[in-house]
Amino acid sequence: MKQLAVAAEMYAADYDRKYPPPGLRCNDPSEPDGSTGCAAGALTREGMRYGYAETWQGGGLSVLFPYTKNPGLFWCPTQVRNWNAAYTDPRSYYAGFEWLHSPDRPRYPDRKVLLMEAYSYHDGKSPRRFDDLPRARRRVNVAYVDGHVKSTDLSTGCSGSRHPDCAGWESSLGPGGNGHYISSAFGKGINVPDFP
């Protein structure tokens, strides 16, 4: 995750201090990178190609590949391996690129989520992801905008908290007690810490 955070900073340095834009998709990983069906490139794991539906689901990570040259970085080593190419957007990490816009935008870069571990898949029948559990006491690895990575207890964050530093915290789903830290740069939340 640290290497991905460094790659994101390198990308921003090359693109006028902007993170990967929204809209990057790979709807058909059977098509080659750069094609109509997979314009932003697929994520590969153990020789299998995986698609994703949006930047935050993997598209932002796929464009970081030139800065890493290592496809293994994009998958958590402890993640389950029972997926197949039929899953449309399996991933190991959520990325906050399209809500953060730039590494220079958040007022608290050391407390604002850039990447977060997320066990997630969608096969059209049984979507699962652990950050849907509101304020669940669960430790996950988080990469922050300033580049540091640490194991973080989600229950200590601003989602649903009355901590004074959390005033104005807002996720992409609007204000309230939900666990969507990764999109907390939405609206008024951009200059509010995720974890006070």
Side-chain angles (χ1 to χ4, degrees), residues 103-191:
D104 304 323
R105 192 169 173 233
R107 185 177 299 157
Y108 300 95
D110 62 328
R111 293 184 277 167
K112 203 68 175 172
V113 173
L114 176 67
L115 301 169
M116 186 173 77
E117 280 186 318
Y119 167 69
S120 179
Y121 66 81
H122 293 269
D123 61 2
K125 297 177 182 177
S126 54
R128 297 177 60 184
R129 65 186 206 226
F130 65 60
D131 74 320
D132 275 338
L133 302 174
R135 297 183 58 73
R137 180 168 288 278
R138 181 156 185 171
R139 299 194 73 84
V140 300
N141 292 318
V142 173
Y144 293 85
V145 172
D146 72 346
H148 84 281
V149 178
K150 70 176 181 179
S151 176
T152 304
D153 180 352
L154 295 186
S155 70
T156 65
C158 276
S159 179
S161 173
R162 295 184 181 181
H163 191 287
D165 287 349
C166 294
W169 193 93
E170 185 176 354
S171 79
S172 64
L173 299 183
N178 63 71
H180 292 260
Y181 295 99
I182 198 58
S183 54
S184 62
F186 179 84
K188 295 176 288 185
I190 186 63
N191 282 318

Side-chain angles (χ1 to χ4, degrees), residues 3-196:
Q3 291 180 67
L4 290 175
V6 169
E9 175 60 32
M10 292 169 68
Y11 177 97
D14 284 347
Y15 289 90
D16 298 322
R17 303 301 297 162
K18 298 290 191 297
Y19 285 133
L24 298 175
R25 301 168 185 263
C26 180
N27 293 327
D28 187 353
S30 67
E31 293 191 17
D33 291 353
S35 65
T36 302
C38 193
L43 294 173
T44 60
R45 182 179 187 187
E46 298 176 347
M48 294 285 290
R49 289 169 56 85
Y50 294 91
Y52 44 84
E54 253 302 352
T55 296
W56 59 274
Q57 295 176 332
L61 296 179
S62 68
V63 300
L64 300 184
F65 181 73
Y67 299 92
T68 67
K69 305 295 188 186
N70 182 354
L73 290 180
F74 301 94
W75 304 93
C76 176
T78 61
Q79 185 171 319
V80 295
R81 297 171 179 267
N82 62 346
W83 293 340
N84 59 54
Y87 292 129
T88 57
D89 58 351
R91 54 190 175 270
S92 293
Y93 310 108
Y94 282 155
F97 301 136
E98 63 187 86
W99 293 280
L100 292 163
H101 301 293
S102 166
D104 304 323
R105 192 169 173 233
R107 185 177 299 157
Y108 300 95
D110 62 328
R111 293 184 277 167
K112 203 68 175 172
V113 173
L114 176 67
L115 301 169
M116 186 173 77
E117 280 186 318
Y119 167 69
S120 179
Y121 66 81
H122 293 269
D123 61 2
K125 297 177 182 177
S126 54
R128 297 177 60 184
R129 65 186 206 226
F130 65 60
D131 74 320
D132 275 338
L133 302 174
R135 297 183 58 73
R137 180 168 288 278
R138 181 156 185 171
R139 299 194 73 84
V140 300
N141 292 318
V142 173
Y144 293 85
V145 172
D146 72 346
H148 84 281
V149 178
K150 70 176 181 179
S151 176
T152 304
D153 180 352
L154 295 186
S155 70
T156 65
C158 276
S159 179
S161 173
R162 295 184 181 181
H163 191 287
D165 287 349
C166 294
W169 193 93
E170 185 176 354
S171 79
S172 64
L173 299 183
N178 63 71
H180 292 260
Y181 295 99
I182 198 58
S183 54
S184 62
F186 179 84
K188 295 176 288 185
I190 186 63
N191 282 318
V192 179
D194 289 337
F195 294 94

